[in-house]
Amino acid sequence: MRKAALLLMTLVQLAPTPLRASVVQQVPLPVGKCVNTGNHLETPSEDANGQKRLEAADFVRIRAAGFDTVRIPVDWYKHSASAPPYRIEPKWLDRVDEVVRQALAAHLHVILDSHNFNLVHSNPAEGSPWLGEVWRQVAAHFARQPTSQLWFEIENEPHDKLTNANLMATLGPALAAIRESNPDRPVVIGGQNWSGIDSLATLDLPDDPHVYATFHYYEPFAFTHQGAGWVNPSPPLGRHYGLPEDKARLITDAAKVDAFVARTGRVPFIGESGAFESVPLAERADYLRAISTSLAPHTSGLCVWAYTNTFPMWDHVGGHWLPGMLEAIGLPGEKPSKSK
Ligand code: BGC
């Protein structure tokens, strides 16, 4: 009888922590002002036509402009074997390591994500073990980097068949694999439907005080994605920002963030926001200013999309920050004399 009770106790202790909704007392992740290195390490080729390759000077410049954090999207899916043990190409891990070290050396917080891990969205059950084993390798590789500076994000923008209903069943193995080597590293998770703001309403994160919530904000999509070739149908050009309904929406959306905080105890951050370059520059800046002043204060930070290769803040051909863009998110901006 006693033996059986002991065995039962042991089994209970060994059982994996149930993944369930919980209210945590969590100090918000200090994301602050953040920029995505979009269209670099998550694109089909880092060296594609017209793309700028990331180098140490980029992170020095980003830090000097006043950013606290950089979110680095990475395609691990394309660079890992499709069968167990899903080995990541060593050259690719070296390249990501180089970029992460450059960002850390510039005293930036780094959110290292997995981006475009297509199988986990189209077939979550099949993609889950592969993603988990990839994160086991990534986490072990970066385990010695400071947890105050380097944070992981398991998968960008869950969509298609990856929903809030199966989110933790699917991403749980990756989180468990990360926890084996990184017991208290901040890990970021966003919800369904491309992590849009409405995903927060049903986003239930596991009972882990080092798991942080994120969402992405491109509302109204008809404004931010006008003329975007990868969206079908592409919203027509000419939608301006600042209509009465846009202002009203920001208030309702800020209330959605507040409701999430009240329900879960977690303050999320905006992992992506911005407008495509077919929107005139001044209107892009107006949009970011509105998000930065009305929505971001309800969150723990705003990561603009993106640095230079798409939705740009920095003009890598002209060698200057685009006028008004830094100021729009509350950074001082650069003096004309420093423009090269
Ligand atoms: C995608 C990009 C896209 C951006 C804005 C990102 O998450 O990876 O391809 O340009 O969102 O739509």
Side-chain angles (χ1 to χ4, degrees):
M1 187 63 187
R2 236 179 116 211
K3 256 191 184 168
L6 269 177
L7 180 67
L8 186 66
M9 275 171 65
T10 313
L11 285 176
V12 168
Q13 280 160 5
L14 287 178
T17 314
L19 298 169
R20 60 185 157 74
S22 59
V23 180
V24 292
Q25 291 306 314
Q26 191 179 56
V27 176
L29 197 61
V31 174
K33 314 254 187 237
C34 164
V35 64
N36 280 277
T37 53
N39 282 19
H40 288 274
L41 300 178
E42 85 287 18
T43 54
S45 162
E46 241 200 299
D47 300 308
N49 268 350
Q51 278 191 197
K52 188 198 182 300
R53 195 180 162 88
L54 285 169
E55 51 197 320
D58 293 301
F59 297 106
V60 172
R61 175 182 303 122
I62 288 169
R63 182 67 184 141
F67 286 98
D68 306 295
T69 304
V70 67
R71 180 171 178 262
I72 304 181
V74 176
D75 188 336
W76 299 104
Y77 180 55
K78 198 179 64 227
H79 294 283
S80 53
S82 58
Y86 306 104
R87 185 156 186 253
I88 298 169
E89 293 163 11
K91 265 193 170 168
W92 184 244
L93 191 51
D94 285 353
R95 171 63 182 143
V96 176
D97 181 79
E98 177 180 53
V99 171
V100 167
R101 281 172 191 273
Q102 289 168 348
L104 294 174
H107 305 291
L108 288 156
H109 299 136
V110 174
I111 302 166
L112 177 64
D113 91 348
S114 160
H115 218 89
N116 304 334
F117 208 103
N118 298 333
L119 188 62
V120 92
H121 305 272
S122 62
N123 189 335
E126 265 186 39
S128 172
W130 184 348
L131 182 69
E133 291 311 306
V134 159
W135 271 111
R136 183 186 308 283
Q137 297 165 70
V138 177
H141 181 89
F142 289 104
R144 280 184 301 278
Q145 296 295 352
T147 53
S148 58
Q149 236 192 313
L150 176 63
W151 312 326
F152 297 152
E153 180 172 343
I154 296 181
E155 176 60 12
N156 178 62
E157 297 188 342
H159 60 275
D160 195 3
K161 303 210 170 53
L162 183 56
T163 68
N164 283 0
N166 61 6
L167 190 70
M168 287 322 303
T170 309
L171 306 188
L175 179 60
I178 290 169
R179 287 288 171 253
E180 283 175 18
S181 55
N182 292 256
D184 53 8
R185 168 106 35 212
V187 172
V188 172
I189 295 179
Q192 66 189 10
N193 202 12
W194 311 91
S195 300
I197 189 153
D198 288 324
S199 65
L200 292 178
T202 53
L203 179 62
D204 289 329
L205 295 177
D207 201 358
D208 176 328
H210 305 290
V211 167
Y212 296 84
T214 190
F215 67 99
H216 292 183
Y217 198 78
Y218 289 110
E219 305 301 342
F221 197 74
F223 168 76
T224 62
H225 280 68
Q226 56 188 282
W230 67 98
V231 181
N232 188 14
S234 181
L237 298 176
R239 165 68 153 93
H240 300 288
Y241 187 68
L243 310 180
E245 71 213 51
D246 297 338
K247 292 179 183 152
R249 181 171 202 157
L250 272 181
I251 295 170
T252 344
D253 286 345
K256 290 175 185 173
V257 176
D258 295 345
F260 178 78
V261 177
R263 178 173 71 82
T264 65
R266 300 174 203 258
V267 180
F269 69 92
I270 308 172
E272 290 184 16
S273 186
F276 185 49
E277 48 262 54
S278 56
V279 175
L281 178 61
E283 291 191 47
R284 276 186 265 159
D286 286 347
Y287 178 73
L288 281 183
R289 187 174 306 103
I291 304 310
S292 173
T293 54
S294 302
L295 192 60
H298 296 253
T299 72
S300 69
L302 166 63
C303 299
V304 293
W305 184 270
Y307 169 50
T308 195
N309 277 346
T310 181
F311 290 51
M313 300 284 290
W314 164 260
D315 174 356
H316 66 263
V317 178
H320 57 87
W321 291 101
L322 287 170
M325 293 294 268
L326 293 175
E327 293 86 343
I329 56 166
L331 291 173
E334 64 180 353
K335 299 193 181 74
S337 59
K338 281 194 193 160
S339 68
K340 292 274 159 180

